[in-house]
Amino acid sequence: MSKSIDQIFINAKQWLLSWLTGAPGWAIPVASSLINIFMLLAVFLTLFALMSVLERKILGRIQNRYGPNRVGPFGLLQPVADGIKMLIKEDIVPARADKIVHFLAPILIAATAILALGVIPYGRNMTPFTIDGGILFFFAVGSTTELAVFMAGWGSNNKFSMLGAMRAIAQMISYELPLIITVLPVVMIVGSLNADAIVAAQDGYAVGLVPRWFVFTPWGAVAFILFFVSGLVESNRTPFDVPEGESEIVAGHMTEYSGFKYATFFMAEYIGMFAITGLAATLFLGGWHSPMRALEFIPSYLWFFAKLSALLFVYIWLRGTLPRTRVDQIMNFAWKFMLPMAFTCVVAAAVWHYTDRGLRGWLWSFVVIAIVYTALSILLDTRRKFAPRTYRFAE
């Protein structure tokens, strides 16, 4: 019974495709792809609507105030009201803007975010598009986000938009390096760029209790934290939402956008956040695998979305807790700390692998990371930079 529930969506898809038995040979693959695309959009657009209202409610609780509570029961219809408002708002385009580039930028950034969702395994046999180089495809598609941001800033013909776009691109490129390098240890250990193979490599339990997720190794834990922080930057989330510094550059590359175009940017930011957290769960948290053998009767897709929800909650928690950092602090952190630690994870994973992946490998891997972390802490000595400032005023 549990297996039939676990595979209910796969069986439903097979039932739908069975209606095309007498159709031409090309019809079944095309129909299968269309079903996958429709389900992806249905699930993640619903999750986007739900996330937009839940985030405001959670932030309201954190800040001791009310969240949305007027539209519908418990304010749950607020996303519908927001969507209608964005649809009927006037679409204003600056007179001297590049109309075509200005129009294409939000479409491109939303399309790349949605494409990245296609290679993530959401459950047992539930990868929408299985590609041998799925992880490579994810980052290849995701890297076009910088182009879309530049198009938005350039096409707006506004100095604030251009400044915000350049700041966003510099920040995203700087953190894409540690983001990709922290994936290398996982790819090295598994020996595959296929997301399904990475999830399969984390199956089972050590000593019968602890799941064999990569996050429970020293290199995996550090790589997961680095990946998570880089994901915050790539998603343009607090405390790294510098491109939208209201006191400096208004809304960054989105300054000249209004109505549904602005909503498309907003949607792309959330869908990109779903994609990066989904990949984090796949790479380090065992994907759709259960954390305990006794709980394996729960459908695999529920485990995946439980992990995804936990990571999204941390994103919201950080937004309600931390202030925005300065742009120089963000860049220093990327190049002087994140990048060296990302390379350290690669070395630590190699040490773990070549010492038989046992307790000895675990300890040696931990020693490698501890040495580099201690050395960076001494060399960077952040206490001087964050020391109390002395202000002197004119007489």
Side-chain angles (χ1 to χ4, degrees), residues 129-177:
F129 300 99
T130 305
I131 307 172
D132 286 339
I135 304 299
L136 189 62
F137 174 83
F138 184 96
F139 288 110
V141 167
S143 63
T144 58
T145 304
E146 286 90 329
L147 176 62
V149 170
F150 178 76
M151 287 169 63
W154 177 266
S156 297
N157 193 27
N158 178 310
K159 60 180 180 292
F160 293 110
S161 298
M162 195 61 196
L163 179 61
M166 290 295 97
R167 190 183 276 191
I169 291 167
Q171 175 179 307
M172 291 164 76
I173 289 174
S174 298
Y175 280 86
E176 259 191 11
L177 289 170

Side-chain angles (χ1 to χ4, degrees), residues 352-373:
W352 179 80
H353 174 71
Y354 286 110
T355 47
D356 299 328
R357 304 189 179 190
L359 179 61
R360 190 160 59 97
W362 201 97
L363 292 172
W364 277 112
S365 176
F366 178 79
V367 167
V368 169
I369 290 169
I371 289 171
V372 175
Y373 177 81

